[in-house]
Amino acid sequence: MAMKRANGDGSVFKLTGKRRKPWAARITIGWRLDPASGKLTQEYQLIGTFATRIEAETALNDFLQNPYDINAHKLTFSEVYDLWSKEYYATLKNDSSARSYRAAYKYCEPIFNVRMRDLRVSHMQGVINDAVVGDATKSRMKSLFNLMYKYCMIHEIVDKDYSALFVQKAGKRDKTKRVPFKNSEVQRLWKIRSFGVTDMILFSMYTGFRPSEVLLIETVNVDLVRWRIKGGIKTDAGIDRSVPVHPLIRQLVQDHYNPDSKYLFPNETGGFMTYDQYRGRFKKVMRYLGISHTPHEPRHTFISCAKHFKVNENLLKAIVGHKIRDITEAVYTHRAYSDYEEAVATISYDGEDIEFESIDAEWD
């Protein structure tokens, strides 16, 4: 039997049959003239179903006090993703970040059809824990949840940000423990150049590009005449920077240069190599040599070597894509490109192993 309320205030009523949530709450969304009787009848929209009458009454009262978009409250995780991504991806300067979020989204399939309002910490943490992916992708999944909940709060799709109530630690690696390659290890890499992604590892060691930046280098941005490469992401200082090609890796770059390929280092099918694909291949090289390093440590090796040979710090920051805090250097100093070429040419992994000290996290 419907619960009596004032006209226009909606109603609460019990549904027929055996149900887990037998009580329903509905609101009045308009009036319709019944042609047969000539009377006005109310048109309703369902707020939801509930386990008890009290819950239904409470939901209806809450709506009458603070009306919201009922259709927005019904949006599922995947529907919110479609709305959020259309708005968010348009703000990105390049497609690499969007690509990483798309990859992270695929692993959220178990909650695709769950209403955003019904998601809880256990759902999101469970999806992350169960995903058979690396730490980087799991961290991106957590970041995806944060951004989607921010969108939901702004658009009143949810009342509470559950993504803020848990911490996904899998991808948080202690950057101070990153260990540069030894000279002897670099020399061993040169001996197995044709094995797996060894060339890409060496490329990073002589340019300072991040692994994600190496993957995104497009053939059109490789200048084989002046021997420089445009690439880089992540920061304003790092985007589309021009990096000299070290003399020792020019043949390596030449070998991979293919004007018919979009990327300098494509995957086996000729398309974009994802970070997860690269990381798996990187580990195979490490296992082959019997050593232990992470994909980011070739970049650390480059920076550590440059510091060892006392490359000017501002020059080094410009090469690896870090912000130069010296105003005079950043604004008023205009260096010859030959300065950058000389700095890169300083990099050498010949000779005995060097005991590198840990470098600051800002150089990551």
Side-chain angles (χ1 to χ4, degrees):
M1 178 182 292
M3 307 301 297
K4 291 293 184 180
R5 285 175 174 263
N7 284 342
D9 279 354
S11 63
V12 168
F13 59 98
K14 194 170 185 179
L15 300 166
T16 59
K18 291 184 178 181
R19 302 169 183 264
R20 188 169 60 88
K21 295 181 178 181
W23 290 92
R26 63 187 181 184
I27 60 165
T28 302
I29 59 173
W31 297 82
R32 178 176 58 86
L33 180 65
D34 186 342
S37 64
K39 295 181 179 179
L40 288 175
T41 58
Q42 296 184 57
E43 291 185 321
Y44 298 100
Q45 183 169 359
L46 191 69
I47 292 178
T49 57
F50 307 88
T52 66
R53 188 184 74 183
I54 294 176
E55 290 178 2
E57 293 277 4
T58 301
L60 181 54
N61 289 335
D62 288 344
F63 177 86
L64 294 174
Q65 292 177 19
N66 297 291
Y68 54 81
D69 184 347
I70 294 176
N71 291 325
H73 279 213
K74 294 179 180 178
L75 292 173
T76 64
F77 179 85
S78 61
E79 289 170 338
V80 170
Y81 172 82
D82 290 340
L83 294 170
W84 164 80
S85 60
K86 183 177 181 181
E87 181 178 300
Y88 182 72
Y89 292 168
T91 68
L92 301 176
K93 293 183 178 179
N94 57 67
D95 192 51
S96 62
S97 292
R99 189 182 293 113
S100 66
Y101 280 117
R102 292 188 192 104
Y105 170 71
K106 291 179 181 177
Y107 293 100
C108 300
E109 186 174 0
I111 59 173
F112 276 2
N113 296 320
V114 178
R115 283 199 320 168
M116 203 72 192
R117 290 182 65 80
D118 295 334
L119 280 178
R120 295 296 182 266
V121 170
S122 59
H123 297 125
M124 292 178 284
Q125 188 67 70
V127 167
I128 289 177
N129 291 344
D130 293 342
V132 186
V133 289
D135 292 345
T137 300
K138 290 192 174 187
S139 290
R140 186 61 80 178
M141 291 169 71
K142 175 61 167 69
S143 178
L144 174 65
F145 294 149
N146 294 342
L147 289 168
M148 286 178 61
Y149 262 98
K150 182 179 180 181
Y151 176 90
C152 287
M153 294 295 287
I154 291 173
H155 295 280
E156 299 183 339
I157 297 170
V158 299
D159 301 319
K160 187 174 184 178
D161 181 0
Y162 284 98
S163 72
L165 299 181
F166 78 103
V167 178
Q168 202 304 100
K169 296 182 179 180
K172 295 296 183 182
R173 186 173 180 273
D174 185 353
K175 295 177 181 179
T176 63
K177 293 182 180 179
R178 287 195 167 136
V179 180
F181 282 71
K182 298 176 181 178
N183 282 353
S184 57
E185 293 172 338
V186 180
Q187 292 158 19
R188 291 177 66 194
L189 284 168
W190 275 111
K191 293 178 181 179
I192 61 164
R193 253 200 63 189
S194 60
F195 181 78
V197 295
T198 302
D199 270 1
M200 297 174 70
I201 299 171
L202 289 167
F203 178 85
S204 184
M205 285 181 173
Y206 286 89
T207 60
F209 278 118
R210 299 177 179 88
S212 55
E213 294 175 328
V214 174
L215 298 171
L216 285 165
I217 291 175
E218 297 188 6
T219 305
V220 70
N221 291 324
V222 178
D223 187 340
L224 297 181
V225 176
R226 295 180 295 176
W227 288 110
R228 58 185 70 173
I229 292 176
K230 185 173 74 172
I233 56 174
K234 196 170 184 178
T235 64
D236 288 340
I239 293 174
D240 291 338
R241 61 188 185 274
S242 185
V243 177
V245 179
H246 192 291
L248 287 180
I249 63 166
R250 289 181 179 177
Q251 185 59 53
L252 181 156
V253 172
Q254 179 78 64
D255 291 344
H256 285 271
Y257 184 88
N258 178 4
D260 295 327
S261 173
K262 181 177 180 180
Y263 299 103
L264 181 63
F265 298 105
N267 61 18
E268 290 83 351
T269 64
F272 174 74
M273 183 184 299
T274 67
Y275 183 81
D276 280 345
Q277 289 174 334
Y278 175 70
R279 185 179 60 246
R281 291 156 176 73
F282 181 95
K283 288 180 179 179
K284 286 183 180 179
V285 176
M286 296 301 102
R287 286 196 296 269
Y288 185 84
L289 292 177
I291 59 179
S292 178
H293 287 285
T294 69
H296 218 80
E297 286 172 354
R299 172 177 165 86
H300 276 246
T301 304
F302 175 90
I303 294 170
S304 298
C305 183
K307 283 178 169 284
H308 175 75
F309 287 111
K310 297 181 171 52
V311 170
N312 177 275
E313 183 154 315
N314 289 322
L315 267 177
L316 181 56
K317 285 184 176 181
I319 292 167
V320 300
H322 279 195
K323 184 177 181 180
I324 298 175
R325 304 185 187 283
D326 183 330
I327 299 299
T328 302
E329 176 75 22
V331 179
Y332 299 104
T333 303
H334 302 273
R335 293 181 178 273
Y337 193 76
S338 58
D339 291 347
Y340 299 95
E341 293 173 323
E342 291 172 7
V344 167
T346 302
I347 301 300
S348 173
Y349 302 111
D350 294 333
E352 299 295 322
D353 290 340
I354 301 170
E355 294 297 327
F356 290 115
E357 296 292 332
S358 296
I359 59 176
D360 297 334
E362 71 162 312
W363 287 95
D364 201 42

